[in-house]
Amino acid sequence: MTQKELTLLNLGDSLDNISNIDPRGYGVCHILYPASREYTGGPLCMNAAGKLCDTLKQDDLVYIMTGFVLPPFGSAETDGVISSVLLARSLVIAFGAKPVIVCQEENVPAVKAMAAVVGLHLYESIDELKKYPISMAVVPFTKDVNEAAKQAKTLLDKKPAAVIT
């Protein structure tokens, strides 16, 4: 193993360890992680990063699906939304990608606020997003079971290069 390979392995292990912190003690990540690690043959974070590096090009659409609503408040959780917008910014800077946050309607205000904080122009349509640099879009996804398949097809018809959840 070369020094570079060892560094990437150790970095990947550290990122995976952080990602698997389980402060509530649910234990799900500790059940699923070993099988996922075996499947990918290495750290999950480095596997995902490598696939994005091998796949993404300038102006590629990337869908980032995130967020849930905190009951009983009816407002967005923040760790997933914040992380997703930071990921969107990273994809814009590193690849010139066109990220689209797909989330529940209640999460849209949090996405809008975060986009401004990280310096991305925000659009509410994918077609508009494609016209401008240093930007992202937010698309609210329906909760209506009868509309979900139709909306998903409309999104997929735009041929994203990657979908991240």
Side-chain angles (χ1 to χ4, degrees):
M1 180 176 287
T2 67
Q3 180 61 46
K4 181 179 179 180
E5 292 169 332
L6 181 60
T7 299
L8 291 175
L9 176 66
N10 287 333
L11 175 61
D13 283 340
S14 295
L15 291 170
D16 281 5
N17 286 334
I18 292 168
S19 298
N20 281 312
I21 292 174
D22 187 13
R24 292 191 178 115
Y26 293 150
V28 174
C29 55
H30 299 295
I31 295 167
L32 298 177
Y33 180 78
S36 300
R37 174 82 182 234
E38 183 179 338
Y39 179 78
T40 63
L44 304 184
C45 290
M46 297 308 282
N47 180 271
K51 291 194 181 300
L52 288 173
C53 288
D54 292 343
T55 301
L56 295 183
K57 304 178 301 303
Q58 180 76 32
D59 297 325
D60 276 349
L61 277 179
V62 178
Y63 294 162
I64 303 171
M65 300 178 171
T66 191
F68 60 89
V69 177
L70 291 168
F73 310 106
S75 60
E77 58 84 20
T78 54
D79 54 342
V81 171
I82 291 169
S83 299
S84 295
V85 174
L86 289 170
L87 175 61
R89 184 180 189 280
S90 298
L91 297 175
V92 169
I93 301 304
F95 303 103
K98 299 293 186 178
V100 178
I101 303 288
V102 180
C103 61
Q104 294 175 338
E105 183 71 43
E106 294 89 343
N107 293 350
V108 170
V111 172
K112 287 181 178 181
M114 278 302 301
V117 168
V118 301
L120 291 176
H121 301 283
L122 184 72
Y123 299 97
E124 294 183 21
S125 105
I126 294 171
D127 293 330
E128 194 174 26
L129 165 68
K130 290 180 179 181
K131 297 178 189 176
Y132 301 105
I134 318 296
S135 59
M136 62 179 268
V138 61
V139 174
F141 196 82
T142 185
K143 292 183 200 175
D144 182 338
V145 173
N146 298 316
E147 291 295 318
K150 179 181 169 186
Q151 188 178 4
K153 182 178 181 335
T154 299
L155 286 169
L156 291 174
D157 284 347
K158 295 197 180 286
K159 306 284 188 225
V163 177
I164 302 167
T165 63

